[in-house]
Amino acid sequence: MTAAPHAVLADYADALAAYDPVLGLEVHVELSTRTKMFCACRTDFGAEPNTQVCPVCLGLPGALPVVNGAAVEAAIRIGLALNCEIAPWCRFARKNYFYPDMTKNFQTSQYDEPIAFGGHLDVEVPASEAGPAFGYRVAIERAHMEEDAGKLSHVGGSTGRIHGADYSLIDYNRAGIPLIEIVTKPLVGAGERAPEVARAYVAALRDLMRALGVSDARMEQGSMRCDVNLSLRARSGDDRVGEAQLAVPFGTRTETKNVNSLRSVEAACAHEIQRQAAVLTSGGVVTQETRHWHEDTGVTTAGRPKSDADDYRYFPEPDLVPIAPSPERVEELRATLPEPPAQRVRRLQADWGFADLEMRDVLGSGALDLIDATVTAGASPAAGKKWWVGELSRRANADGVELAEMPITPAQVAELDALLRAGRLNDTMAKQVLDGVLAGEGGPTAVADARGLQLVSDDGALRDAVQAVIARNPDVAAKIQAGKVQASGALIGQVMKEMQGRADAAKVRTLLLESLGVAAQG
């Protein structure tokens, strides 16, 4: 099957001059519960296909669901963290549709009675080429509970999608895993920065889920997914965000499904703005439909006509009792909420004395929690950043793993730094110790002991090595004595080599200059 031709795209600036983008974001978050939403099956990621299933999550006749209490409490905590009201009484509903990934032919979800509603999340949109940093309040329509569907794998095609595939495989391990769907109200007024707002919001939501401990929110594994609803409306003259513009009706929306990275959320928004603008400018009509985001080509393609709520024939789930959390329990759960992630970042930046650029590097590498734990274990913030954002990030990238998956703990990084500060190791030795720790040889001190790594502290031995190097290099020694102190680097290197790297370079430099009768500089 040949690939669909790429859609015509309008110039981004021209599109924004004529149209105002309106966003709606639906983010699905898989909860990190041990068992599924309505049965006792495990939720372990990566298990053999169809090994974590039972009559309930397979939808077999006569099987009755039971609500996962831990998932309900996680949903309440999410709602509270999003500044939502928590419903004193709510219930589940059946969302009816036919698709192989849902054997019951309906999804147990919530419809007109969600557990949380009417909230907001304040996000900081970072500075970019388009303009300075700014704050944006994302209004939350609702956060409701539901179950995930199974996973389809289409085999034999070139795109990994059903069109053109030879056959499809279904893994029902994911069917029934607890989901929270967080739905925004229409996001307006961001103009050309709308894609950046979308990315900043999803990033903030991801950080919040991790801080709450309710989900690992790993978009690349599908435990957090974003559906991007976007439409364009004509601009009311030059009024970009005022009352006149807000009165302009929304255009027809598309829904780009299951976007699974922050970069792709931003790119999918920008692409749909340009695509829809080209359709409207040419006199065409935007079709209300789902669309697929193609990570490899950076485009969206048509899926199916988008259904409205009526098409799903929602009705109350007769096999589940309503959920009625007591006000006292809600307040107990509110007391468990962590410090908001954005507030925590500002506090840590101030405590650590990091510049904005340094903090951006920390956040970009995913090292914030690791550095915080390393500082708590006794290292300085600068040392924590040096190891996690520098050497360990480099190694993680080379190995293709997440930084947090590296086989070393923050306490071990702090121990390694302590060996450096105590003068037992230099940087070269410390990296050798790091090799041993990552190889599973033990903690830093044990590795240093086993490998015999110890700086030579005997001044006599260092002086002997310095004198031997000076004797072998009289010309270089003469240059240093004549004032060319920078030439000492060559002799220091030779001393370090002679000492097999087990010397403090700064100490060697001091002894070398003393031996030549030259005052140390700087």
Side-chain angles (χ1 to χ4, degrees):
M1 180 177 180
T2 57
H6 287 184
V8 176
L9 301 181
D11 177 79
Y12 190 73
D14 292 344
L16 271 296
Y19 301 101
D20 182 36
V22 178
L23 283 172
L25 301 172
E26 302 172 12
V27 176
H28 297 78
V29 179
E30 283 187 358
L31 300 181
S32 300
T33 53
R34 289 187 301 105
T35 57
K36 293 185 180 181
M37 188 72 213
F38 302 114
C39 65
C41 290
R42 299 284 301 181
T43 60
D44 302 324
F45 179 79
E48 285 295 313
N50 298 309
T51 58
Q52 298 179 163
V53 294
C54 73
V56 174
C57 55
L58 287 176
L60 300 184
L64 293 176
V66 177
V67 174
N68 185 330
V72 173
E73 295 200 340
I76 293 172
R77 294 179 71 235
I78 290 171
L80 292 172
L82 292 172
N83 304 290
C84 290
E85 293 186 52
I86 303 302
W89 188 94
C90 64
R91 57 183 170 177
F92 288 95
R94 291 186 179 184
K95 179 182 181 180
N96 295 275
Y97 67 91
F98 173 76
Y99 204 65
D101 62 5
M102 186 61 70
T103 59
K104 298 179 294 186
N105 293 339
F106 66 85
Q107 179 187 33
T108 306
S109 181
Q110 291 188 304
Y111 175 45
D112 54 348
E113 298 166 310
I115 193 165
F117 57 91
H120 67 267
L121 182 63
D122 292 323
V123 302
E124 182 73 16
V125 182
S128 70
E129 293 179 1
F134 66 99
Y136 190 98
R137 172 162 288 189
V138 176
I140 306 296
E141 177 73 35
R142 55 192 279 148
H144 65 261
M145 299 179 287
E146 60 186 23
E147 60 181 334
D148 210 345
K151 182 180 179 181
L152 281 162
S153 299
H154 306 295
V155 182
S158 60
T159 65
R161 302 191 183 279
I162 192 168
H163 299 294
D166 295 331
Y167 58 90
S168 299
L169 300 173
I170 309 175
D171 178 8
Y172 287 112
N173 282 351
R174 198 174 70 181
I177 285 182
L179 273 185
I180 299 299
E181 181 175 352
I182 302 165
V183 182
T184 71
K185 292 183 178 180
L187 310 184
V188 298
E192 66 180 358
R193 309 287 299 271
E196 296 175 69
V197 168
R199 176 176 181 152
Y201 165 70
V202 176
L205 207 56
R206 180 195 62 184
D207 293 344
L208 182 60
M209 296 303 107
R210 291 175 176 173
L212 289 167
V214 297
S215 175
D216 60 15
R218 297 187 66 164
M219 299 185 75
E220 74 282 1
Q221 291 185 356
S223 57
M224 180 169 161
R225 312 186 290 275
C226 180
D227 296 341
V228 178
N229 292 271
L230 189 139
S231 66
L232 298 180
R233 57 179 174 174
R235 287 208 176 276
S236 175
D238 293 329
D239 185 0
R240 296 173 69 88
V241 294
E243 291 299 320
Q245 183 61 47
L246 293 177
V248 177
F250 295 163
T252 301
R253 66 187 172 92
T254 62
E255 182 180 13
T256 303
K257 300 287 288 184
N258 295 327
V259 185
N260 64 357
S261 75
L262 298 180
R263 183 181 64 82
S264 293
V265 167
E266 182 175 0
C269 288
H271 180 271
E272 273 301 286
I273 289 172
Q274 293 177 270
R275 188 192 68 82
Q276 291 186 26
V279 171
L280 296 172
T281 301
S282 66
V285 176
V286 173
T287 301
Q288 181 171 313
E289 63 187 357
T290 63
R291 296 187 67 83
H292 302 297
W293 169 250
H294 297 268
E295 187 74 40
D296 53 346
T297 57
V299 302
T300 65
T301 56
R304 58 177 174 80
K306 174 59 180 170
S307 301
D308 290 314
D310 292 345
D311 299 317
Y312 290 116
R313 305 188 321 280
Y314 283 98
F315 65 86
E317 168 58 74
D319 292 334
L320 290 169
V321 298
I323 305 296
S326 70
E328 293 78 16
R329 184 55 182 154
V330 170
E331 290 310 307
E332 288 173 359
L333 292 172
R334 190 191 302 276
T336 69
L337 298 183
E339 181 181 18
Q343 180 178 316
R344 178 178 175 234
V345 168
R346 290 192 293 270
R347 175 180 60 79
L348 289 177
Q349 182 174 355
D351 291 348
W352 295 346
F354 285 0
D356 289 346
L357 245 129
E358 290 179 296
M359 204 63 181
R360 187 186 69 184
D361 290 344
V362 168
L363 297 173
S365 63
L368 184 72
D369 291 341
L370 297 166
I371 295 175
D372 192 16
T374 303
V375 171
T376 301
S380 68
K385 176 177 177 293
K386 165 189 169 182
W387 287 107
W388 288 110
V389 179
E391 186 66 21
L392 285 164
S393 282
R394 182 185 65 77
R395 295 182 186 222
N397 289 335
D399 294 343
V401 300
E402 293 290 323
L403 187 59
E405 295 174 354
M406 294 294 283
I408 186 170
T409 67
Q412 288 173 330
V413 172
E415 182 183 342
L416 179 61
D417 183 62
L419 294 175
L420 265 171
R421 286 186 286 110
R424 170 165 181 179
L425 304 176
N426 58 20
D427 278 342
T428 300
M429 289 177 167
K431 289 177 182 177
Q432 293 176 41
V433 170
L434 185 61
D435 291 337
V437 175
L438 295 177
E441 297 174 17
T445 302
V447 171
D449 289 344
R451 294 192 175 197
L453 295 173
Q454 170 81 50
L455 280 176
V456 174
S457 57
D458 180 0
D459 282 5
L462 290 178
R463 288 184 188 278
D464 289 345
V466 166
Q467 291 297 335
V469 168
I470 290 174
R472 291 199 302 267
N473 298 273
D475 294 343
V476 179
K479 288 181 181 179
I480 297 170
Q481 289 174 319
K484 294 184 179 180
V485 178
Q486 64 270 25
S488 62
L491 299 190
I492 293 170
Q494 290 188 40
V495 175
M496 294 296 291
K497 184 177 180 180
E498 189 161 310
M499 300 301 298
Q500 298 180 325
R502 298 179 181 182
D504 184 332
K507 192 169 191 179
V508 170
R509 182 177 186 274
T510 300
L511 293 174
L512 176 69
L513 296 180
E514 283 180 1
S515 298
L516 295 173
V518 177
Q521 298 177 3

